[in-house]
Amino acid sequence: MSANLTLLVLIGVLTACGVYLILERAVSKMLLGMILFGNAVNLLILTVGGPDGEPPIGDGEDAEGMADPLAQAMVLTAIVITMGLAAFVLSLAYRSYMLTTTDDVQNDPGDAEVATQRDREDPED
């Protein structure tokens, strides 16, 4: 089995850019990162699904040259899940913007207090 090297490099770049954007503090960048990561996973599923073939809908006599329908069904399901997740994060971003008039996620004061308390403790105890 041989895979297209250009497509694999594109999947790697999309994954790296998606992870980088997910780690940003702005919700809009997180949303774009999730969409890029979802598209990279979809391309990976199609690449791993095997070579091109005949449409999987047929008379059932010659199944040897048919494409694997499982990869196509998984990608369709992943597209729906990614769009639902994007709509949810977009609604969270809108609600956050309406409350704070900014797109950035702030540090929680309770988390900052626990982090400073942990830094003050002696690791030797």
Side-chain angles (χ1 to χ4, degrees), residues 85-109:
L85 182 65
F88 179 69
V89 171
L90 193 59
S91 67
L92 286 178
Y94 176 73
R95 180 70 177 158
S96 173
Y97 181 76
M98 293 304 287
L99 291 176
T100 62
T101 64
T102 184
D103 191 22
D104 290 337
V105 177
Q106 301 298 324
N107 286 334
D108 186 30

Side-chain angles (χ1 to χ4, degrees), residues 2 14 19 21-22 33-34 37 43 50 60 73 75 81 87 91-94 96-97 100-101 111-112 115 121 124:
S2 64
L14 282 175
V19 168
L21 287 174
I22 286 173
M34 284 187 234
F37 191 75
L43 285 174
V75 167
I81 291 171
S91 67
L92 286 178
Y94 176 73
S96 173
Y97 181 76
T100 62
T101 64
D111 290 343
E121 291 178 358
E124 298 294 324

Side-chain angles (χ1 to χ4, degrees), residues 15-90:
T15 303
C17 291
V19 168
Y20 176 76
L21 287 174
I22 286 173
L23 296 176
E24 290 290 321
R25 300 294 286 189
V27 179
S28 59
K29 290 181 181 179
M30 288 180 204
L31 175 64
L32 290 175
M34 284 187 234
I35 292 172
L36 280 177
F37 191 75
N39 287 336
V41 169
N42 290 343
L43 285 174
L44 182 65
I45 291 171
L46 283 179
T47 303
V48 173
D52 296 340
E54 298 295 320
I57 299 172
D59 55 1
E61 293 177 8
D62 184 24
E64 186 174 322
M66 289 187 185
D68 185 16
L70 180 63
Q72 298 171 12
M74 287 177 62
V75 167
L76 285 174
T77 304
I79 289 170
V80 171
I81 291 171
T82 302
M83 288 288 96
L85 182 65
F88 179 69
V89 171
L90 193 59

